[in-house]
Amino acid sequence: MTTELKVSHLNKKYRTKKALDDVSFEVKSGQIVGLVGPNGSGKTTLMKAALGLIKVDGEVEIQGDPVTFSKHKQLEKVGQLIEYPAIYPFLTGYDHLKMFADGKNQKARIDELVQDLGMQDYIKNRAKSYSLGMKQKLGIAMALINNPSLVILDEPMNGLDPHAVIEVRQLIQKLAKQGVTFLISSHILSELEKVIDHLIIFNEGKVVRDTTPQELNGSYKIRVVIKTNDDRAACETLNNAGFKMPKTKVSFLLKDETTLAVVIKFLVEQGFDVLDVDKQASDLESSLMKLLYPNESAQGGEA
Amino acid sequence: MGTLVKNELFKLRKKSSTWIMILLMFVIMLLGPILTILSGSEVMSYTAISSAGALWLVVTLISSAGSILSMEYEYGTIKELFASKYSRGKILISKWFTIFIYSIILNILLVVYTGIIYYAGRLLTTNMSFTWSENAISGETVTTMTESFLRMLASDFINAWLVISVVFLLASIIKKSSLAVTLGLVFFLTSSMISSLLSSLMKLTNLDWLKYTPFNMLFLNFNESTASLEKVAHLNATQLGIGSLIYIIIFLIIGLLFYRRKEV
């Protein structure tokens, strides 16, 4: 796989605050990379740096060629939506797409995007009448109009209704299959999880983790909650036998596959009825919370 | 660059304010002759018809030059422009070109409107004489009215661009469209007052260098005789014309230097 985007040792300071602190990572061609982190962690600053919108120390390369504050040639291959869609209220949606479309088959490309994003009903209306979701869709369409090889989307699901979220997701997946690379930031982690195949976690201007969602989820143990006919007594018995349990709920993190069987066998041998076993698989949101806020997410015992 | 200019012209064309200003120019030019007819005056020259339009033309260009830059910040579209393959310099230059083309179109409209009102006036009124073909006397030279009209257009055009270059400079520094436009209008409206003050100051003092200030350049008028120009501006028309062009270039280049450093 070739490298689509490479950032090396990016640093950016706003007055005293370090917005980017020695940020380096690579995005391979055809990947859908999620960029996640708390508000103010530097995600938008990083995207702006990759688009040559701000001055930074360090290097940005797209397909091996540099992009800087004054060198924009490579941006020909990039589509973007940063912060909020760039819309002229006095133009129609169609005008926007027509104006930003380059090269051949413009009409066919516009029509296909309008169709894919379900914008047929209002694309010929002036954008000042658009809702937030309609503007967002138009912004996404503008990012995709010139068949870019790299698409940078900052919070693309902002303001979209559930149906539109599905349309955007399907479009991203369709384009990724055609080899388009995506770098997407989003707060809606459950949605991001459905499309990304790689993950860059940002905090305080630094890359905290450069991983895959599976790897991240897998690095946190699964929590098990066992419901018995007498939870309090079961906990006491388990604690006496050396298992670490909370006082009222049989709840623990799985260390390995055998732990669950050991605990259930022990409870049955002690005369408890096991009524239910709930395995709480770790999702991206909880994995991320555990990584970024380890103190807040700690709860329950360990078997 | 061609695509950028085409896009800028497209945006200008789609803005309703563009058409409103063009329509208002005609309405304002009509007001003069109507009031003249109502007041019972007997002579209406085409310069009287066009002068209100010429003033409106500058106001229109000031607001367009201010907003062509600042609207991009207001709508957030500046990111779309800057994140494109085009450099900031090319983006700004495409905007200059657009306003330049617009200023030419407005001048053509000024001539057309003047012609329409002039001929309509001749057709519709019987007791008024709408003058066109007589010779005009400017200072010691005698020129035809047409020539004098063209001279007026040329001097107004250069004066307008001196003001527009200041607006471009302000709008390259200030993000707020309304502020850039207001400051441009203030510059334009106070310029004649400041020019007169400078002129008086030059007479009273030995501050001869004041004649090289941009305000003094606004005295440019190709219809004035050299003697009368030198009396107020201490420079002749050619010198004022060259001075204006130099200032226009300086203001545009300073604006470009600021614009090229813009982070968004």
Side-chain angles (χ1 to χ4, degrees):
Chain A
M1 248 198 286
T2 52
T3 302
E4 184 70 26
L5 169 70
K6 184 179 176 187
V7 302
S8 316
H9 308 292
L10 286 192
N11 283 287
K12 176 74 182 175
K13 219 172 174 182
Y14 288 117
R15 290 198 180 92
T16 54
K17 195 185 175 234
K18 264 201 154 183
L20 295 177
D21 189 357
D22 198 32
V23 175
S24 300
F25 65 86
E26 281 185 29
V27 177
K28 301 284 180 199
S29 295
Q31 273 187 330
I32 308 179
V33 178
L35 194 60
V36 294
N39 286 337
S41 58
K43 303 186 296 285
T44 303
T45 308
L46 172 75
M47 288 180 153
K48 284 183 173 179
L51 292 163
L53 291 173
I54 52 171
K55 290 176 195 158
V56 284
D57 291 330
E59 282 147 33
V60 175
E61 284 177 16
I62 291 173
Q63 292 180 2
D65 287 317
V67 172
T68 66
F69 186 69
S70 55
K71 215 172 188 177
H72 281 196
K73 183 79 186 74
Q74 284 301 86
L75 294 177
E76 200 172 2
K77 300 163 185 157
V78 183
Q80 51 79 28
L81 169 58
I82 298 292
E83 287 172 330
Y84 47 89
I87 307 283
Y88 298 98
F90 52 87
L91 296 182
T92 68
Y94 196 88
D95 288 339
H96 282 87
L97 295 172
K98 205 174 133 206
M99 199 165 68
F100 287 105
D102 267 344
K104 290 175 184 170
N105 301 326
Q106 291 183 7
K107 196 180 176 304
R109 273 188 280 141
I110 293 173
D111 291 345
E112 190 184 346
L113 266 179
V114 168
Q115 182 83 31
D116 283 344
L117 288 166
M119 298 161 71
Q120 302 91 323
D121 292 346
Y122 55 86
I123 195 70
K124 295 277 171 82
N125 297 348
R126 282 195 182 197
K128 66 178 170 193
S129 66
Y130 286 13
S131 67
L132 180 63
M134 291 171 176
K135 285 182 185 167
Q136 193 70 12
K137 274 193 190 180
L138 179 58
I140 294 169
M142 282 157 70
L144 301 174
I145 190 65
N146 286 322
N147 294 334
S149 63
L150 170 65
V151 181
I152 298 179
L153 301 174
D154 190 8
E155 299 291 341
M157 308 300 183
N158 257 1
L160 296 184
D161 60 40
H163 184 243
V165 167
I166 295 170
E167 283 171 329
V168 171
R169 187 208 307 154
Q170 285 172 343
L171 183 59
I172 291 173
Q173 285 166 334
K174 175 181 147 184
L175 293 169
K177 271 185 197 151
Q178 294 166 11
V180 179
T181 311
F182 283 87
L183 180 65
I184 307 171
S185 83
S186 180
H187 281 119
I188 310 169
L189 297 173
S190 55
E191 189 47 48
L192 199 61
E193 198 171 18
K194 289 175 188 157
V195 289
I196 58 170
D197 48 33
H198 203 87
L199 188 65
I200 292 167
I201 301 166
F202 239 70
N203 200 15
E204 292 174 354
K206 288 183 192 162
V207 174
V208 187
R209 217 44 195 272
D210 186 346
T211 180
T212 63
Q214 295 78 11
E215 226 172 59
L216 182 71
N217 291 343
S219 62
Y220 293 96
K221 294 167 199 99
I222 293 167
R223 174 164 296 279
V224 175
V225 179
I226 298 177
K227 194 166 167 45
T228 67
N229 55 334
D230 186 352
D231 285 348
R232 192 174 280 271
C235 287
E236 201 182 331
T237 314
L238 281 163
N239 276 325
N240 290 340
F243 295 100
K244 279 184 188 165
M245 284 298 143
K247 280 186 177 166
T248 54
K249 195 161 112 183
V250 184
S251 162
F252 56 93
L253 292 172
L254 272 186
K255 275 182 178 168
D256 56 58
E257 289 303 311
T258 57
T259 322
L260 180 58
V262 171
V263 174
I264 291 175
K265 196 177 170 202
F266 177 78
L267 285 171
V268 173
E269 278 171 4
Q270 295 301 312
F272 291 100
D273 296 333
V274 175
L275 305 175
D276 189 22
V277 179
D278 185 19
K279 267 173 110 176
Q280 294 169 350
S282 188
D283 59 5
L284 184 58
E285 193 171 75
S286 50
S287 301
L288 202 68
M289 289 301 284
K290 281 168 198 158
L291 178 70
L292 295 173
Y293 312 102
N295 297 332
E296 286 174 31
S297 40
Q299 53 172 328
E302 225 176 273
Chain B
M1 182 69 118
T3 312
L4 284 174
V5 176
K6 201 182 92 195
N7 284 349
E8 290 302 333
L9 284 171
F10 180 70
K11 285 185 258 179
L12 195 62
R13 191 157 57 82
K14 289 282 178 172
K15 275 172 86 172
S16 43
S17 61
T18 305
W19 299 100
I20 293 170
M21 294 302 261
I22 285 175
L23 190 71
L24 277 178
M25 187 161 119
F26 189 68
V27 173
I28 284 165
M29 286 173 75
L30 263 182
L31 286 177
I34 290 171
L35 290 174
T36 314
I37 292 166
L38 291 176
S39 69
S41 176
E42 287 176 356
V43 182
M44 182 81 221
S45 76
Y46 69 91
T47 39
I49 302 168
S50 64
S51 58
L55 195 69
W56 186 254
L57 185 150
V58 181
V59 173
T60 305
L61 286 175
I62 289 172
S63 72
S64 305
S67 69
I68 201 172
L69 284 184
S70 317
M71 74 169 173
E72 308 288 0
Y73 292 98
E74 274 181 27
Y75 303 144
T77 43
I78 192 78
K79 286 191 294 261
E80 193 71 33
L81 289 179
F82 281 3
S84 69
K85 61 182 171 183
Y86 302 107
S87 68
R88 287 167 175 74
K90 276 186 183 164
I91 291 165
L92 180 62
I93 292 167
S94 74
K95 288 176 183 289
W96 295 347
F97 263 116
T98 306
I99 295 298
F100 185 74
I101 293 168
Y102 189 40
S103 67
I104 290 175
I105 293 172
L106 285 177
N107 268 289
I108 293 170
L109 280 173
L110 182 70
V111 176
V112 172
Y113 285 175
T114 306
I116 291 172
I117 296 169
Y118 172 77
Y119 285 107
R122 281 180 69 145
L123 281 172
L124 299 173
T125 58
T126 48
N127 58 345
M128 259 183 89
S129 89
F130 275 78
T131 60
W132 183 271
S133 56
E134 300 96 292
N135 289 340
I137 302 160
S138 64
E140 65 270 28
T141 54
V142 178
T143 55
T144 65
M145 286 294 244
T146 310
E147 193 184 333
S148 160
F149 185 57
L150 290 174
R151 282 165 181 261
M152 184 199 82
L153 287 178
S155 22
D156 281 358
F157 190 76
I158 295 173
N159 280 337
W161 265 92
L162 185 55
V163 180
I164 293 165
S165 64
V166 173
V167 177
F168 267 126
L169 170 59
L170 291 170
S172 298
I173 302 168
I174 307 163
K175 286 182 182 176
K176 271 220 146 320
S177 141
S178 50
L179 188 58
V181 170
T182 309
L183 288 173
L185 282 173
V186 168
F187 174 75
F188 174 59
L189 297 172
T190 57
S191 57
S192 59
M193 187 183 80
I194 295 172
S195 311
S196 313
L197 280 173
L198 285 181
S199 175
S200 314
L201 206 60
M202 276 188 280
K203 268 182 211 152
L204 290 170
T205 62
N206 290 327
L207 301 171
D208 195 46
W209 58 268
L210 284 174
K211 67 184 178 190
Y212 297 116
T213 57
F215 288 104
N216 200 47
M217 300 301 156
L218 290 165
F219 277 118
L220 175 70
N221 184 347
F222 292 122
N223 276 324
E224 289 277 346
S225 68
T226 306
S228 62
L229 266 184
E230 287 198 334
K231 207 173 151 194
V232 287
H234 296 212
L235 293 170
N236 65 35
T238 315
Q239 290 167 327
L240 287 171
I242 292 169
S244 297
L245 289 177
I246 290 171
Y247 272 116
I248 291 168
I249 292 166
I250 289 173
F251 290 146
L252 289 180
I253 287 175
I254 297 173
L256 179 67
L257 294 177
F258 273 103
Y259 201 73
R260 283 176 59 181
R261 296 159 54 91
K262 285 260 183 224
E263 289 189 300
V264 288

